Amino acid sequence: MSAEKAVLYARENGDRFLRELKDLVAIPSVSSDSNHLADMRACAEFVEKAVSSIGFDRVEMVETKKHPIVYGEWLGAPGAPTVLLYGHYDVQPVDPLELWETPPFEASERDGRLYGRGTVDDKGQFYIHLKAMESWLNSSRKKLPVNMKVIIEGEEEVGSESLEPFLAANHEMLSADVAVISDTSMIKKGWPSITYGLRGISYFQIDLKGPSQDLHSGIFGGAVKNPIHALTEIIGQLKDENGRIGIPGLYDDVVEVTPEERAAMAELPFEEGVFLKEVGAPQLNWENGYTPLESLWCRPALDVNGIWGGFSGEGSKTVIPSESHAKVSIRLVPDQEPDKIGDLFETYVREIAPREVELSIQRMHGGRPFLGDLSHPAFAAAGRALEKGFGTKAVYIREGGSIPFVRNMTETLDLPCLLLGFGLPGENAHAPNEWIDLENYALGTRSAIHLYEELSSI
């Protein structure tokens, strides 16, 4: 079965595909905001209709405790492998609105990009696959080369709370040979990328309580421990000047980067100067003994994400605050587990916390890291598909971010996972002026068409 007729269909219908994506982006499906409940349902209905229209045998909207999951399947290729596609239709909030150059829910084209909330995370990326499937089912053969199952959920941006129960309850219905997710990025334009590793996360809040109320710093200063000082003493002992985390036992389960991986990463188009310019910092800082990419992708990272307490208004107020607080995240790598890291973090912070303050620690959330098995034939198939779609050889990369459900899904359903992202660095996925590159959108659709054919032989 040749993909060329499907590719031709996609090219001839490209303008319509883009108009449909703009209609999808126009729905303000912000899952974290209860004011958008009706919009979330409207978006689920849009996706349900979109999946139905491409010719699937079965499509349904599954109710959950929060937002609906859209499920669809086409099983018209007996004996062929089954591919499970995952995507999400919910998006991040748009604040601060004043920083958007064009309205976030009115997708607009400029400079070869499509701007709007959800264009790349993840409406544009899963729509690439829906249109690739349509191209197969509406070209002359009226068939896909593989069986397809589709899950499009509405809670990824708020933790995918309903997804795991759905997976567990529908294990047989969701059985497949490989999962495909497009919710990541390429390392650089012109470098199609297969992501095989993600970091996990453990997230905490530290709360310190000192005096029962704010105190006059002139009357009590020097005799009462300041909770902000106590907090900075704790934070100062979490990492050393070499970028190494000071928590005992934290590195015990870390899988070291292999020499082969280090060599492959060294060949990737990562330029420190360009990265520094994108970051906008005076200079970079990474763990001694590793490269910046290795530190970003393959090593644990601890960051203080927020700190507050005391007086921060205009002018001066001489007080010793009664409380101080900090939010701390640790990015995890294989084979670290969030619960174990949480225990190590709590034990260490309690050991180093000054005794003059009362300490409490909240575990906010956690997610496990993911590392794919590159020896599985699905990865080679994906590489061939991307090379056909983009006209250049694909590279294998990791990402420093966390997508916790990937590990949960692969283990619950016992299948490998291909992370094929068509976004680009600097795409502002969670920030104002989010965009997707329109050339990547077209080449991504072509690559997805080839992907299904390549996966038919795994």
Side-chain angles (χ1 to χ4, degrees):
M1 186 182 297
S2 172
E4 293 312 312
K5 291 183 178 179
V7 170
L8 178 61
Y9 177 92
R11 186 181 302 120
E12 291 174 343
N13 289 274
D15 290 343
R16 174 174 61 82
F17 291 176
L18 190 58
R19 289 196 301 271
E20 292 176 9
L21 175 58
K22 290 179 178 179
D23 290 340
L24 177 57
V25 170
I27 305 172
S29 50
V30 182
S31 54
S32 62
D33 188 341
S34 60
N35 293 318
H36 287 286
L37 285 174
D39 297 316
M40 289 297 298
R41 177 158 292 276
C43 198
E45 290 171 349
F46 184 104
V47 174
E48 181 186 30
K49 184 178 179 181
V51 177
S52 297
S53 69
I54 63 179
F56 268 41
D57 303 324
R58 171 187 176 188
V59 183
E60 60 183 278
M61 194 162 66
V62 181
E63 301 296 338
T64 73
K65 289 182 179 179
K66 286 188 176 179
H67 306 301
I69 293 173
V70 176
Y71 173 75
E73 63 183 30
W74 184 91
L75 304 178
T82 299
V83 178
L84 176 65
L85 174 74
Y86 166 91
H88 66 91
Y89 63 84
D90 65 320
V91 299
Q92 284 276 323
V94 297
D95 299 331
L97 187 59
E98 64 273 13
L99 296 183
W100 286 82
E101 294 182 25
T102 50
F105 296 113
E106 294 178 18
S108 59
E109 297 179 54
R110 60 182 186 273
D111 304 322
R113 299 172 176 179
L114 183 69
Y115 285 84
R117 178 59 89 224
T119 50
V120 74
D121 184 18
D122 177 49
K123 291 177 178 181
Q125 296 218 56
F126 80 71
Y127 217 67
I128 281 173
H129 287 278
L130 296 189
K131 296 298 102 177
M133 295 174 206
E134 177 186 323
S135 299
W136 273 107
L137 292 170
N138 285 273
S139 56
S140 60
R141 296 298 295 270
K142 306 295 183 184
K143 286 187 66 175
L144 280 158
V146 290
N147 299 295
M148 290 294 314
K149 297 179 180 180
V150 172
I151 301 171
I152 311 293
E153 67 147 326
E155 298 176 21
E156 195 275 343
E157 302 293 4
V158 289
S160 297
E161 181 181 331
S162 299
L163 183 61
E164 196 158 357
F166 174 77
L167 297 176
N170 296 282
H171 192 278
E172 184 174 345
M173 180 181 77
L174 300 173
S175 63
D177 296 287
V178 61
V180 174
I181 300 173
S182 290
D183 195 14
T184 51
S185 296
M186 294 160 45
I187 190 168
K188 185 178 181 180
K189 184 161 181 168
W191 291 71
S193 307
I194 301 168
T195 301
Y196 68 96
L198 298 164
R199 290 196 289 193
I201 189 169
S202 286
Y203 202 102
F204 311 92
Q205 180 169 313
I206 299 173
D207 301 295
L208 297 183
K209 184 75 172 67
S212 59
Q213 61 185 17
D214 289 358
L215 299 176
H216 190 297
S217 64
I219 297 173
F220 297 97
V224 177
K225 186 74 173 183
N226 186 313
I228 294 180
H229 293 172
L231 183 58
T232 59
E233 290 171 20
I234 294 171
I235 291 172
Q237 297 178 72
L238 294 178
K239 273 173 72 171
D240 66 20
E241 66 277 7
N242 296 315
R244 188 171 177 86
I245 301 169
I247 300 170
L250 184 133
Y251 292 92
D252 288 355
D253 298 323
V254 170
V255 177
E256 289 290 339
V257 185
T258 66
E260 293 78 14
E261 280 185 291
R262 298 194 87 165
M265 288 182 193
E267 296 297 319
L268 293 172
F270 178 83
E271 300 175 43
E272 289 181 26
V274 174
F275 183 74
L276 180 61
K277 187 175 181 181
E278 290 176 354
V279 171
Q283 64 181 51
L284 297 179
N285 174 257
W286 62 87
E287 185 179 354
N288 280 7
Y290 299 88
T291 68
L293 265 189
E294 290 166 3
S295 296
L296 285 168
W297 292 352
C298 311
R299 300 294 293 170
L302 183 148
D303 285 287
V304 178
N305 304 119
I307 183 168
W308 69 100
F311 177 72
S312 58
E314 185 178 355
S316 62
K317 184 181 182 184
T318 52
V319 295
I320 298 171
S322 64
E323 299 178 357
S324 65
H325 312 269
K327 292 187 184 290
V328 179
S329 63
I330 305 176
R331 296 289 174 171
L332 313 180
V333 298
D335 284 323
Q336 293 178 308
E337 291 291 331
D339 287 342
K340 181 176 179 180
I341 296 302
D343 292 341
L344 294 173
F345 178 84
E346 286 200 37
T347 298
Y348 181 61
V349 172
R350 292 189 187 284
E351 285 178 358
I352 64 175
R355 299 296 175 253
E356 299 90 344
V357 291
E358 181 182 325
L359 166 70
S360 63
I361 300 172
Q362 302 178 53
R363 297 194 192 187
M364 308 295 284
H365 66 268
R368 299 157 73 198
F370 165 76
L371 193 63
D373 178 8
L374 291 179
S375 68
H376 193 282
F379 284 91
R384 293 191 298 270
L386 288 175
E387 187 169 0
K388 288 180 179 179
F390 281 82
T392 188
K393 201 171 185 63
V395 295
Y396 293 86
I397 66 173
R398 295 201 201 185
E399 282 200 6
S402 305
I403 311 178
F405 71 81
V406 172
R407 177 81 175 270
N408 296 342
M409 184 169 70
T410 56
E411 291 190 352
T412 300
L413 301 179
D414 189 25
L415 79 177
C417 181
L418 296 172
L419 294 166
L420 306 179
F422 303 108
L424 290 174
E427 66 205 357
N428 298 328
H430 287 194
N433 303 306
E434 177 182 344
W435 55 270
I436 190 169
D437 183 89
L438 288 171
E439 183 181 18
N440 269 20
Y441 183 74
L443 296 177
T445 305
R446 188 163 73 187
S447 299
I449 289 170
H450 287 294
L451 176 67
Y452 309 141
E453 186 171 57
E454 293 293 341
L455 289 176
S456 67
S457 61
I458 65 171

